[in-house]
Amino acid sequence: MKIINGIALLLSAGLFAGVVHAQELTGTLKQIKDTGMITLGARESATPFSYNLEGTQFVGYSYDIMMKVVERIKTELKSPNLQFKVMPITAQNRIALVQNGTIDLECSSTTNTEERQKQVSFSDSFFMIGTRLLTAKDSGIKDFADLKGKNVVTTAGTTSERLLNKLNDEKNLGMNIIAAKENGQAFLSMESGRAVAFMMDDAILYGERAKSKSAEKWIVTGTPQSREVYGCMMRKDDAQLKKLVDGVVADLTKSGQIIPIYKKWFESPIPPRSMTLNFPMSEDLKHLYANPSDSAIQ
């Protein structure tokens, strides 16, 4: 069966190549072919999805997937010397930078939502998370109701910020919500005592805990406030690029090639401190891998 699946994937890649070469290039792929360059967007503090390794290079689970896309583009455009540059982005500016053409592709920790689909296109999803809380083990915080009247931090421009504000209003919790520029800054706000908890996607919270100096001090807790999926972002109405990126994601997930990438970043020691997230693969994620889709699930 594995041999048959492998043949099927090779055939699908070959068919896609035939489509690209048979059609006139348009949109981003034409621009990439003409300029010999693709500009990528990456987060500096979204461990283990996309992060800057001590100022030397970007790494991460999503970054590895993005590099697979670059390799496919080189192959399909017959441009082995294609160059790429990586631009640091934030949660606040990532959508605008895709829209205005500053970056061609972004694969990090961006949630696919119906609202965002009006502004950009998303590839098939490559990860699923729940939004929870990171807090000190002795904080007394067990769930979101325990945040009443307290300082809580999240990252600006994220779905977590929107959900936290909505929860605050609907439950009349009286929280003081601090919006940090990046995930690392949000963790520091909590670590320094400015906030009692940090709300964010659970996998990112595990990443922040793992890279802290005293990981045993922190715990991820709380009832998930949403289930969200991540995908690569690109400009709207760019059918050729979207088909290529979807093909890469589907090939990785349905063939099982994504499994060692997952284990590398979520179940094994990762740089810079050889920390391990110990974040087991959920049944939801296994289902997502088996059934690639670009639908938002919020």
Side-chain angles (χ1 to χ4, degrees):
M1 181 61 71
K2 289 183 178 178
I3 294 175
I4 294 174
N5 287 340
I7 293 172
L9 288 174
L10 287 172
L11 286 173
S12 69
L15 287 173
F16 178 78
V19 171
V20 168
H21 296 310
Q23 295 177 350
E24 182 179 355
L25 287 176
T26 61
T28 304
L29 289 181
K30 182 179 188 305
Q31 172 190 305
I32 293 170
K33 180 69 172 179
D34 290 346
T35 63
M37 172 71 70
I38 181 172
T39 303
L40 311 171
R43 295 284 294 277
E44 293 190 284
S45 180
T47 309
F49 297 97
S50 172
Y51 62 105
N52 194 317
L53 188 57
E54 299 181 331
T56 61
Q57 61 179 319
F58 284 91
V59 296
Y61 168 87
S62 305
Y63 188 80
D64 281 356
I65 293 172
M66 190 158 60
M67 289 300 99
K68 295 287 188 183
V69 173
V70 172
E71 290 305 311
R72 178 70 61 85
I73 290 173
K74 287 182 178 181
T75 299
E76 303 301 346
L77 300 187
K78 296 183 178 179
S79 300
N81 297 319
L82 178 70
Q83 301 296 304
F84 69 88
K85 58 182 177 182
V86 184
M87 176 174 291
I89 59 172
T90 66
Q92 301 99 304
N93 67 17
R94 55 189 167 180
I95 292 177
L97 291 176
V98 170
Q99 286 181 305
N100 67 22
T102 302
I103 58 176
D104 301 314
L105 181 70
E106 182 263 5
C107 304
S108 57
S109 57
T110 300
T111 299
N112 180 353
T113 69
E114 291 182 355
E115 180 181 353
R116 287 173 175 170
Q117 286 177 5
K118 298 174 184 177
Q119 305 173 74
V120 294
S121 287
F122 283 90
S123 70
D124 286 347
S125 301
F126 54 72
F127 206 81
M128 181 179 291
I129 58 86
T131 46
R132 302 180 70 196
L133 297 169
L134 182 66
T135 188
K137 286 183 178 179
D138 60 0
S139 68
I141 304 297
K142 303 298 182 183
D143 214 332
F144 286 84
D146 300 322
L147 299 174
K148 188 169 185 177
K150 294 181 169 60
N151 292 349
V152 186
V153 66
T154 188
T155 305
T158 62
T159 53
S160 289
E161 182 185 28
R162 177 178 58 79
L163 288 167
L164 194 57
N165 278 292
K166 181 180 179 183
L167 182 68
N168 203 23
D169 292 339
E170 291 181 349
K171 301 295 184 180
N172 195 28
L173 293 177
M175 292 182 288
N176 176 37
I177 298 173
I178 302 169
K181 182 179 179 181
E182 269 294 348
N183 297 319
Q185 294 177 6
F187 178 80
L188 289 175
S189 292
M190 184 188 61
E191 187 178 44
S192 66
R194 289 186 62 213
V196 298
F198 172 22
M199 180 184 179
M200 187 44 58
D201 306 348
D202 52 8
I204 288 177
L205 296 178
Y206 273 85
E208 289 298 322
R209 182 184 71 170
K211 72 182 185 182
S212 68
K213 296 178 181 178
S214 303
E216 69 282 354
K217 178 180 177 180
W218 311 103
I219 187 172
V220 177
T221 188
T223 305
Q225 295 301 295
S226 67
R227 289 166 63 249
E228 303 178 5
V229 288
Y230 294 166
C232 295
M233 230 185 356
M234 63 209 91
R235 286 183 283 284
K236 281 187 69 65
D237 304 320
D238 195 337
Q240 286 186 351
L241 179 60
K242 177 169 167 50
K243 185 172 184 178
L244 185 148
V245 180
D246 284 347
V248 172
V249 174
D251 286 354
L252 288 173
T253 57
K254 296 185 75 172
S255 69
Q257 296 175 61
I258 196 72
I259 304 302
I261 299 176
Y262 181 94
K263 290 181 178 295
K264 172 184 175 182
W265 293 104
F266 295 94
E267 297 180 352
S268 307
I270 63 174
R273 297 195 180 113
S274 294
M275 56 194 181
T276 303
L277 270 66
N278 294 315
F279 191 79
M281 187 182 298
S282 68
E283 292 302 316
D284 280 343
L285 184 56
K286 291 177 184 178
H287 179 78
L288 181 71
Y289 283 166
N291 303 276
S293 169
D294 64 359
S295 298
I297 66 165
Q298 278 188 301

